């Protein structure tokens, strides 16, 4: 029994942090928010830096051009992505699409290494997480996915849907999809609806294989969003604590008031307990432990609850300035709101964790 | 899928597995059946619990992480957690010696002399000498550093005077560990000394305090020119605060509250939910949601404990994070029991056959003390804000 990160894992994380802090500043985020071009700012430059670092292909085998690392490395990198509120869908790409393409038996040979080679971003869509398990969209001759992140940047999409004979998972190039932007409050996420007509050559899995893979997609999506949220909350909390030290009222810093201290302490406590759950879930995926679906639900339940509370608290502590467009706090608030509800909100995920944990499914 | 195992590893080693199964089989065979021991806050129950401590000691299970010469097995923190896990699974009773073995003993290991350890640890481990804690005073609760009980130097020892209160186990314990002001000129955290006092020393008077449940779990202790020899000072004279904070770290952090306790309680709660409401389905009922929340928090507490245990084993100390831990487990305990009582409905507050408290009600009353003792949760939130987030003290 050992539950800790190695020096190498911490070093990988530090390296990612250095790159991201340089390439994803709050002024970069602001440019993106204020630009008409959803691809604006330094997005392409950032993605290629992440590719050069190997962060986008952490979980790909070395034969496929990846680093051959595990999910423990991945969640550390994703926390760093969260700390800068990274717009690109690194979690879905590196933590869902890449391992699924490596896993699926009918992934065409050389596909993954070609994607890695090109530094292509693969986004993921079509799977919602519900209490009794993943849910896919209906099929009416055409397949549909909603709220797919990074529709403007993605090279291709890993998509799940119902089909004429059950369910299927496809890898579809963006030129074969109809993409309709459906921006959310967090415009940096680049959400959109994707419609496609499945073709045999796109099918990664169908039938029972697809059911299993959709399960993996659902739980992995929960895990990567939980890891991202831990980073977002960490950065937002530090930023807010700094603000509480600087901002003076009644002649003293507002952070000296117990009412303020206790609110921020609650966020710190939630973070202290959400992180190990994320790390445990990462381990479960890395060894393909049967508990991984439970562990992912637990991690997302804790992270979503934490993020909702953290957003409310940090906004309140910032006071009026936190409510302005001018404040950089908005990037973190909006990410918290978006990801706390996506891929299963807290009440659903905790009920799912309880059901799976005690084998109480109805 | 890439399955490289990084350095996170939840699999037990064969040695850890063997230890766990040996503990499990001994406990299954020896833990008293539910309901056979009276409350440890009664004289009779106190003695019954002491008998069980003795049985554990005789089989080297009472203090597994201690050195063998004091009655332990010299195992590490992971094995200690495994033992605790099995203890709660087996339905083991509350530990009557917990103030000694969990709070004071780590302080002996860090600050005690060899002679003190030899003298006190074996009797503590066997339950022959049960300890209570003499810290709080009527005017010094959360503000412990304002304490006024005094220690005056005399030949070969000290004379203690003053009053301590809220001493858990104080009604029946044989020994007391406490903080006294040994330098009358010094203020606040300075000039305090940590003393070990036999409760039968002339000048010691105890007055049991009845708790919410009517039992006398804790006591006031009066000191009237109580002589304590020099070798019953723990740590350096004047360094009592540093010694006490080490004890407080143990109390708030890992060593007092095994995660198995909360996981067992959360699982009982889930069973109660199913009994009352059938299954967990959508739309989620309010109490199903509360149960799920309690379950998740208990699971989170367990994982954070393994995380902390690994850090401790690798030589990293537990700092102010212990305050975050204390807030979490104490509020989790209340959350579990409140939810159970809500599930039980109006019957929850009825007494059982011989006027006794049901397990859930007893557990509820017990849980309510958690956010108060070991430093109130308000003080802990100050510690988290000041020491983990760097907010100003004033």
């Amino acid at each position: 029994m050992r539950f800790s990160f190695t020096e190498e894992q911490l070093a990988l994380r530090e390296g990612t942090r250095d790159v991201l802090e340089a390439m994803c500043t709050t002024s970069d985020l602001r440019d993106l928010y204020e630009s008409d071009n959803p691809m604006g700012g330094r997005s392409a430059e950032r993605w290629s830096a992440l590719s050069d670092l190997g962060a986008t292909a952490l979980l790909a085998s070395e034969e496929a051009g990846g680093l051959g690392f595990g999910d423990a490395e991945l969640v550390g990198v994703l926390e760093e992505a969260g700390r800068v509120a990274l717009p690109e869908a690194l979690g879905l790409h590196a933590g869902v699409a890449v391992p699924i393409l490596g896993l699926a038996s009918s992934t065409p040979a050389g596909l993954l290494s070609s994607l890695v080679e090109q530094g292509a971003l693969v986004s993921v869509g079509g799977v919602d997480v519900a209490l009794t398990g993943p849910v896919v969209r209906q099929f009416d001759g055409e397949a549909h996915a909603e709220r797919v992140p990074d529709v403007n940047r993605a090279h291709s999409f890993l998509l799940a849907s119902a089909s004429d004979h059950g369910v299927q998972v496809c890898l579809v190039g963006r030129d074969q999809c109809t993409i309709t932007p459906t921006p959310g409050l967090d415009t940096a996420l680049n959400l959109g609806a994707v419609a496609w007509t499945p073709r045999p050559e796109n099918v990664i899995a169908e039938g029972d294989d697809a059911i299993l893979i959709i399960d993996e997609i659902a739980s992995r999506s929960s895990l990567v969003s939980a890891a991202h949220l831990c980073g977002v909350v960490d950065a937002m909390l530090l930023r807010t604590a700094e603000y509480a030290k600087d901002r003076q009222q009644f002649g003293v810093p507002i952070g000296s008031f117990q009412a303020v201290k206790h609110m921020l302490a609650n966020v710190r406590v939630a973070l202290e307990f959400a992180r190990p759950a994320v790390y445990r879930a990462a381990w479960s995926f890395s060894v393909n432990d049967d508990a991984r679906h439970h562990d992912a639900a637990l991690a997302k339940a804790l992270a979503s609850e934490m993020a909702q509370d953290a957003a409310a608290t940090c906004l309140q502590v910032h006071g009026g300035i936190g409510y302005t467009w001018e404040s950089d706090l908005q990037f973190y608030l909006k990410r918290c709101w978006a990801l706390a509800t996506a891929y299963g909100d807290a009440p659903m995920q905790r009920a799912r964790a309880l059901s799976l944990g005690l084998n109480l499914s109805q | 899928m890439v399955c490289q195992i990084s350095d996170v590893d939840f699999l037990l080693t064969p040695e850890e597995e063997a230890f766990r199964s040996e503990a499990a089989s001994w406990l299954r065979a020896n833990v008293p059946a539910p309901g056979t021991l009276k409350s440890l806050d009664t004289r009779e129950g106190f003695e019954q619990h002491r008998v069980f401590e003795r049985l554990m000691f005789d089989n080297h299970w009472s203090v597994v992480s201690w050195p063998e010469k004091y009655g332990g097995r010299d195992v590490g923190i992971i094995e200690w957690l495994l033992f605790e896990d099995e203890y709660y699974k087996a339905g083991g009773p509350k530990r009557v010696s917990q103030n000694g073995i969990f709070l004071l003993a780590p302080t002996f290991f860090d600050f005690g002399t060899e002679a003190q350890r030899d003298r006190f640890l074996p009797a503590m481990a066997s339950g022959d000498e049960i300890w209570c804690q003499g810290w709080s005073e009527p005017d010094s609760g959360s503000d412990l550093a304002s304490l006024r009980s005094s220690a005056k130097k005399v030949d070969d020892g000290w004379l203690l005077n003053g009053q301590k209160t809220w001493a858990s186990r104080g009604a029946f314990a044989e020994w007391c560990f406490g903080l006294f002001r040994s330098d009358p000129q010094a203020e606040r955290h300075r000039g305090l000394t940590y003393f070990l006092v036999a409760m039968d020393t002339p000048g010691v008077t105890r007055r049991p305090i009845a708790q919410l449940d009517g039992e006398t779990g804790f006591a006031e202790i009066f000191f009237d020119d109580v002589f304590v020899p020099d070798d019953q000072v723990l740590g350096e004279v004047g360094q009592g605060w540093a010694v006490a904070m080490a004890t407080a770290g143990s109390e708030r952090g890992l060593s007092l509250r095994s995660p198995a306790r909360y996981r067992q309680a959360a699982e009982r709660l889930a069973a109660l939910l199913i009994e009352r409401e059938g299954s967990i389905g959508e739309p989620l009922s309010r109490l199903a949601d509360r149960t799920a929340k309690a379950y998740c928090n208990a699971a989170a507490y367990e994982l954070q404990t393994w995380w902390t245990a690994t850090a401790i084993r690798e030589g990293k100390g537990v700092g102010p994070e212990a305050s975050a831990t204390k807030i979490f487990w104490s509020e989790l305990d209340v959350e579990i029991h409140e939810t159970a009582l809500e599930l039980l409905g109006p019957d929850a507050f009825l007494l059982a056959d011989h006027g006794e408290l049901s397990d859930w009600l007893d557990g509820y009353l017990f849980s309510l003390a958690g956010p108060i003792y070991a430093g109130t949760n308000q003080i802990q939130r100050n510690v988290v804000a000041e020491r983990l987030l760097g907010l100003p003290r004033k």
Side-chain angles (χ1 to χ4, degrees):
Chain A
M1 167 72 74
R2 184 181 187 278
F3 190 19
S4 172
F5 289 125
T6 61
E7 293 300 320
E8 293 73 29
Q9 287 167 335
L10 295 174
L12 174 69
R13 197 176 160 143
E14 292 295 313
T16 310
R17 177 183 295 200
D18 292 343
V19 168
L20 288 175
E21 283 184 351
M23 302 198 67
C24 192
T25 65
T26 49
S27 83
D28 291 326
L29 292 172
R30 184 162 293 279
D31 286 347
L32 198 61
Y33 262 66
E34 294 178 354
S35 151
D36 290 333
N37 174 10
M39 293 285 284
R42 303 162 73 189
S43 184
E45 191 192 338
R46 244 184 337 255
W47 190 257
S48 81
L50 287 167
S51 297
D52 292 347
L53 198 64
T56 56
L58 279 175
L59 297 188
S61 65
E62 291 179 45
E63 302 83 76
L67 293 185
F69 280 150
D71 293 273
E73 285 81 5
L74 175 79
V75 290
V77 165
L78 293 182
E79 269 193 82
E80 293 306 322
R83 288 170 55 88
V84 297
L86 184 76
E88 291 76 35
L90 178 64
L92 290 181
H93 168 89
V96 185
V98 167
I100 296 294
L101 290 173
L103 172 78
S105 52
S106 38
T107 305
L111 175 65
L112 186 56
S113 50
S114 148
L115 289 168
V116 170
E117 169 86 42
Q118 296 172 57
L121 192 166
V122 183
S123 188
V124 179
V127 181
D128 282 333
V129 189
L131 176 54
T132 48
V135 178
V136 294
R137 308 257 159 221
Q138 285 193 333
F139 182 72
D140 52 16
E142 197 173 43
H144 304 272
E146 283 155 34
R147 297 184 307 281
V148 181
D150 247 347
V151 285
N152 296 88
R153 298 185 195 103
H155 161 279
S156 46
F157 299 93
L158 182 70
L159 295 163
S161 69
S163 70
D164 286 334
H165 35 273
V167 291
Q168 63 184 3
V169 179
C170 295
L171 182 73
V172 191
R174 67 173 301 118
D175 52 348
Q176 294 172 29
C177 300
T178 310
I179 297 169
T180 314
T182 56
L185 187 61
D186 183 353
T187 50
L189 287 178
N190 244 310
L191 301 180
V194 176
W196 72 101
T197 307
R199 300 182 199 172
E201 67 268 26
N202 295 140
V203 175
I204 296 294
E206 52 193 343
D208 291 346
D209 275 357
I211 292 174
L212 293 176
I213 284 189
I214 288 169
D215 254 347
E216 300 297 320
I217 291 175
S219 295
R220 282 190 161 276
S221 303
S222 301
L223 170 62
V224 298
S225 49
H228 190 90
L229 282 173
C230 285
V232 173
V233 168
D234 189 21
M236 182 169 70
L237 177 60
L238 291 177
R239 171 176 286 270
T240 307
E242 285 306 312
Y243 180 78
K245 281 184 240 176
D246 287 346
R247 169 73 177 166
Q248 302 235 339
Q249 284 291 275
F250 305 101
V252 293
I254 60 167
S256 65
F257 301 134
Q258 285 199 351
V260 172
K261 281 182 182 171
H262 289 192
M263 290 169 78
L264 292 175
N266 287 343
V267 178
R268 181 61 181 78
V269 171
L271 185 59
E272 176 79 15
F273 287 86
R275 271 183 172 146
V278 168
Y279 303 155
R280 160 74 210 212
W283 179 82
S284 294
F285 277 98
S286 72
V287 300
N288 215 24
D289 190 305
D290 286 345
R292 65 193 182 281
H293 300 297
H294 165 271
D295 294 342
L298 177 67
K300 184 60 166 55
L302 293 162
S304 288
E305 179 86 3
M306 165 185 74
Q308 296 277 20
D309 292 348
T313 295
C314 293
L315 174 57
Q316 184 68 22
V317 170
H318 271 81
I321 192 73
Y323 199 74
T324 63
W325 185 266
E326 177 197 339
S327 168
D328 291 337
L329 183 68
Q330 61 163 321
F331 308 132
Y332 306 94
L333 295 179
K334 290 172 179 175
R335 190 61 52 84
C336 282
W337 294 327
L339 289 190
T341 45
Y343 311 108
D345 63 10
M348 190 284 289
Q349 289 283 20
R350 60 186 171 239
R352 183 164 158 76
L354 176 63
S355 298
L356 291 171
L358 302 181
N359 210 6
L360 295 176
S361 32
Q362 43 187 343
Chain B
M1 173 145 6
V2 175
C3 287
Q4 172 171 339
I5 300 178
S6 53
D7 243 36
V8 179
D9 190 355
F10 280 90
L11 303 176
L12 297 182
T13 64
E15 296 75 27
E16 288 165 346
E17 199 57 71
F19 176 86
R20 175 195 272 279
S21 89
E22 190 188 349
S25 51
W26 188 85
L27 288 164
R28 266 198 303 273
N30 290 283
V31 162
T36 47
L37 303 190
K38 290 208 157 53
S39 160
L40 57 73
D41 293 335
T42 62
R43 170 50 89 182
E44 191 186 353
F46 192 88
E47 295 307 327
Q48 290 171 335
H49 281 74
R50 192 202 298 270
V51 169
F52 181 63
E53 290 293 333
R54 178 83 216 186
L55 180 66
M56 287 215 289
F57 176 75
D58 289 343
N59 291 276
H60 307 278
W61 289 115
S62 71
V63 286
V64 291
S65 60
W66 292 15
E68 288 177 24
K69 66 173 170 173
Y70 303 129
R73 292 176 179 241
D74 222 349
V75 297
I77 189 163
I78 301 295
E79 287 84 354
W80 179 75
L81 285 165
L82 295 174
F83 172 80
E84 288 291 303
D85 195 39
E86 294 302 332
Y87 189 83
Y88 285 98
K89 266 192 209 157
K94 284 179 194 154
R95 302 292 302 268
V96 67
S97 55
Q98 72 168 33
N99 293 74
I101 60 175
F102 293 150
L103 301 187
L104 182 58
T107 318
F108 267 120
F109 288 122
D110 288 346
F111 296 95
T113 64
E114 192 67 31
Q116 285 175 328
R117 289 179 209 154
D118 291 346
R119 158 66 187 84
F120 289 109
L121 289 175
M124 183 190 291
S126 66
D128 288 344
E129 292 175 351
I130 289 178
W131 290 77
C132 65
Q133 184 177 5
W135 283 23
S136 293
E137 297 180 4
D139 292 326
S140 304
S142 288
D143 184 12
L144 183 63
S146 69
L147 66 85
R148 290 186 305 202
S149 291
S150 66
K152 186 175 157 205
K153 189 75 188 92
V154 294
D155 286 348
D156 303 327
W158 298 79
L159 281 183
L160 306 185
N161 280 285
Q163 180 186 353
K164 295 292 182 181
T165 192
W166 316 137
S168 297
R169 318 280 97 80
F172 311 114
E174 281 79 23
W175 281 81
C176 175
F177 56 97
L179 268 183
F180 292 79
R181 192 165 296 284
S182 50
D183 178 354
Q185 307 305 321
E187 288 188 358
R188 307 285 305 164
H189 312 79
R190 287 175 289 276
L192 301 175
T193 298
Y194 207 99
F195 287 95
L196 310 170
V197 189
M199 292 292 282
D200 60 3
T201 314
V204 174
T205 311
R206 57 180 134 199
R207 202 179 63 150
I209 303 171
Q211 304 178 150
L212 272 179
D213 61 2
E215 306 293 358
T216 50
F218 48 9
E220 290 177 294
I221 307 171
F222 299 88
F223 298 83
D224 183 12
D225 277 344
V226 175
F227 176 77
V228 175
D230 283 325
D231 60 5
Q232 287 173 212
V233 170
L234 184 54
E236 301 287 316
V237 170
Q239 295 302 309
W241 187 260
V243 181
M245 287 307 102
T247 308
S250 300
E251 186 174 22
R252 290 166 193 167
L254 198 59
S255 69
L256 184 62
R257 293 292 173 242
S258 150
R261 242 183 89 139
Y262 304 107
R263 213 193 46 232
Q264 293 295 319
E267 288 177 8
R268 282 174 57 223
L269 176 64
L272 182 64
L273 175 78
I274 298 303
E275 182 193 309
R276 295 278 158 157
E277 296 197 350
S279 62
I280 301 167
E282 284 172 307
L284 279 174
S285 74
R286 190 177 63 84
L287 293 176
D289 185 47
R290 289 197 68 179
T291 302
K293 205 166 177 178
Y295 168 82
C296 286
N297 286 339
Y301 181 64
E302 180 171 23
L303 291 170
Q304 193 264 1
T305 301
W306 290 117
W307 183 256
T308 307
T310 305
I312 290 173
R313 191 171 60 179
E314 293 177 357
K316 295 169 210 146
V318 179
E321 288 83 1
S323 290
T325 304
K326 195 265 167 168
I327 293 167
F328 198 84
W329 62 247
S330 60
E331 295 180 4
L332 167 60
D333 204 20
V334 174
E335 180 182 26
I336 291 170
H337 288 89
E338 263 179 5
T339 309
L341 295 190
E342 280 203 58
L343 280 164
L344 291 168
D347 289 349
F349 286 89
L350 294 180
L351 299 180
D353 289 347
H354 304 282
E356 297 198 337
L357 301 175
S358 70
D359 285 350
W360 281 120
L361 190 50
D362 185 41
Y364 176 62
L365 292 181
F366 187 76
S367 77
L368 292 179
I372 300 171
Y373 64 69
T376 63
N377 286 12
Q378 284 67 39
I379 295 295
Q380 306 305 333
R381 284 185 164 86
N382 289 350
V383 173
V384 170
E386 290 163 15
R387 298 189 51 203
L388 292 176
L389 298 176
L391 296 181
R393 286 182 62 85
K394 286 195 172 119

